Each structure stands twice: as structure tokens, then as C-alpha cells.
Amino acid sequence: MIIGVTGSGGKLGRATVAELRERGHDVIGFDLTGPAGPGFVRVDFTDYGQTLDAFLGVTARHDGLDALVHLAALPVNGLVPDATTFDNNVSVSFHVLFAAHRAGIRRIVSASSITAMGFPFDVAPPALPVDESYTQANNTYGLGKVVEEAMAGQLVSWHPETSIAALRFTNVVDEAGYDTFERASDPDYRRDLLGTWIDARDGALAVALALANARPGFEVYNVAAPESGLSIPSRELAQRWFPGTPVAEDLGEFESLVSTRKLREQLGFVARHDWR
């Protein structure tokens, strides 16, 4: 396929471009900055005209896209004022999804976030591990992701062949970030992420699998490493962090407290990287 990747210059974007190219796809990266050449187009997604034009075709780059991966966003709260984070990300996602609809792109994977489901988890979730049915935004970045998921869930019905998968990524770690796991025995480490993490290359694998297994409709998948980023057993962490909260009887010893069962069972995801 010819696949466009928005936010191609980011940590996850770079890994996704590499993964898709290794699978034989032609990939066009779209971002504000990137390497000059046939695989990249500079686009400001706050401008709907640029967005639509970029998806319809760019001279000497592509004549149309078969699929789209939407990763572009302000990645966290704090880089700009909070309202700006929300305004930018929701507006950009609308431009991307609506332009894709107008351009006839029916296979879409869009980055959502663990922040749509309780981050920083000051309030106990209803059960552990937390699955895709739970939604609770506590900051403007997470609220934006909730809005983007709702928007995708509506837009997907505007054409019977459209498929949109929203991937709720947890903290993405690249190869240079593995030294942070020196704190893995500290029960406060990654507490606000429920101990979760995902290698950027495995996040890219999840994107590739979501594209390969696309079917009409809207789906949400949690994307985290199936095992936590701590050396403390998960049941012990659950009791420490959320005493009294129901825990699945079949929870694995170090299984992620953000459930990845849907990702593994429906898309066949098997992580290739482990901090251990």
C-alpha cells in the first residue's frame, strides 16, 4: 500500500515509518520537519487546505493514499497552555480525519492515549487490568483524546467501507530510554502509568497489525507491553495502589495493569522487546 504517516518525525512516527517500509509498503511521512526527499512532505495540519491537498496528491511524491496513520499531535500537557493543547490536537485530528474522508482514504489508524482512561489514576479504576471500556480524562490532553475517539466513531459511519482503529498508547520508550528501568524495583516508578510502557518498535508493530487487520467500523485498542515496566508482581502493585479494587483472577505475575488482551487476541500482537 501507499501509506501516509502524520507526525512521522516523532519517536513513534520514525519507528512506524521504518516498520511499514520493512513490510514492503511505500510510506510518505507528513510533519513540520523531516528529511528532504521522496518519502517526506512538510505539512502544517492546523491548515485544513494543506491537509486535504497533501492527502489528495503531491507532485513528485504520491498520487493518492491507500491508508493513513495519524500520529501528529502535541504529545503532552505542559508544552503550551492547556487550552491550546486541546484546541490544537482536536482541530488537527478533525482536519486529518475529515480530509481522509474527502480524499477517499478508508483505512485509518489513529493514535489515542492511556490518558483517555484515567491518567494519572488518582481515582481507582473499576477493575484491573483496565480495559478499553473505561474512559476518564483528567487533563486537556486526555480530554482531547476522548473527543477524538468520539469524533472517529461518528465519522467512520459516513462511508460503509471506512475503518478507523484508535490505539491507546502508553508511554513510548525508544532504545535510548531503557536506562530508566533502573528504577523498576521502586513501587512509585510509573505509578501514574499503572506501571506500563511500550517500546517504540512494538508500538509500530501494533500500527502495522491494525492496518493489516482493518475491517469496516471503529475499534479502540490499548497498546502497552504485555508485561509491566516494574520488577514487582502486578497483583502486589494493584493491592498497594488500589486496595479493594477487583483484580482479574487470571492476572499474570507481571501482566500489565492496562489490559492488552484485545490487542493480542484480535490483532495477534506479540511484543518483540522487553526491558528485562
Side-chain angles (χ1 to χ4, degrees):
M1 294 186 290
I2 302 173
I3 303 174
V5 177
T6 77
S8 58
K11 190 186 302 182
L12 181 57
R14 295 191 301 271
T16 296
V17 169
E19 175 73 27
L20 295 176
R21 285 179 176 161
E22 286 177 9
R23 290 171 174 261
H25 300 295
D26 291 330
V27 181
I28 309 295
F30 299 109
D31 210 329
L32 289 173
T33 60
F40 176 75
V41 177
R42 187 173 68 233
V43 182
D44 180 354
F45 291 109
T46 64
D47 183 330
Y48 175 72
Q50 285 191 40
T51 305
L52 177 60
D53 200 30
F55 294 170
L56 288 171
V58 179
T59 300
R61 295 296 181 262
H62 73 93
D63 295 319
L65 302 172
D66 300 309
L68 183 68
V69 179
H70 175 41
L71 307 177
L74 292 169
V76 292
N77 275 103
L79 300 178
V80 296
D82 291 338
T84 306
T85 300
F86 179 89
D87 290 346
N88 178 89
N89 288 355
V90 172
S91 178
V92 162
S93 289
F94 172 73
H95 290 170
V96 167
L97 294 177
F98 190 58
H101 169 72
R102 285 285 176 87
I105 303 168
R106 305 302 175 209
R107 190 180 301 225
I108 301 166
V109 173
S110 184
S112 189
S113 169
I114 188 177
T115 60
M117 54 195 306
F119 177 91
F121 297 97
D122 291 332
V123 176
L128 295 166
V130 184
D131 66 21
E132 292 82 357
S133 66
Y134 184 61
T135 300
Q136 179 62 59
N138 294 307
N139 59 38
T140 59
Y141 178 81
L143 181 61
K145 292 303 181 184
V146 173
V147 171
E148 290 167 30
E149 287 184 8
M151 181 166 57
Q154 296 300 309
L155 288 172
V156 76
S157 68
W158 291 15
H159 191 284
E161 295 178 5
T162 299
S163 168
I164 304 178
L167 306 187
R168 286 182 173 178
F169 289 100
T170 186
N171 179 236
V172 176
V173 177
D174 61 15
E175 295 173 74
Y178 273 67
D179 58 354
T180 63
F181 292 103
E182 293 174 357
R183 292 186 56 203
S185 62
D186 178 357
D188 293 326
Y189 176 60
R190 295 181 179 271
R191 163 65 180 79
D192 56 358
L193 297 165
L194 298 186
T196 64
W197 70 290
I198 184 72
D199 186 290
R201 295 161 293 183
D202 287 335
L205 172 62
V207 170
L209 291 172
L211 285 171
N213 292 279
R215 59 183 184 273
F218 176 66
E219 291 287 349
V220 178
Y221 297 93
N222 292 336
V223 180
E227 293 196 343
S228 80
L230 285 87
S231 59
I232 303 167
S234 297
R235 195 171 294 275
E236 181 180 330
L237 289 171
Q239 176 59 33
R240 179 187 182 93
W241 292 341
F242 306 111
T245 296
V247 179
E249 292 184 2
D250 60 348
L251 182 74
E253 184 178 10
F254 296 104
E255 184 176 349
S256 169
L257 291 178
V258 169
S259 176
T260 62
R261 298 182 184 190
K262 181 178 179 180
L263 181 72
R264 289 180 281 149
E265 292 169 4
Q266 294 191 11
L267 301 186
F269 175 80
V270 177
R272 299 177 296 193
H273 303 89
D274 189 340
W275 68 270
R276 291 171 177 81

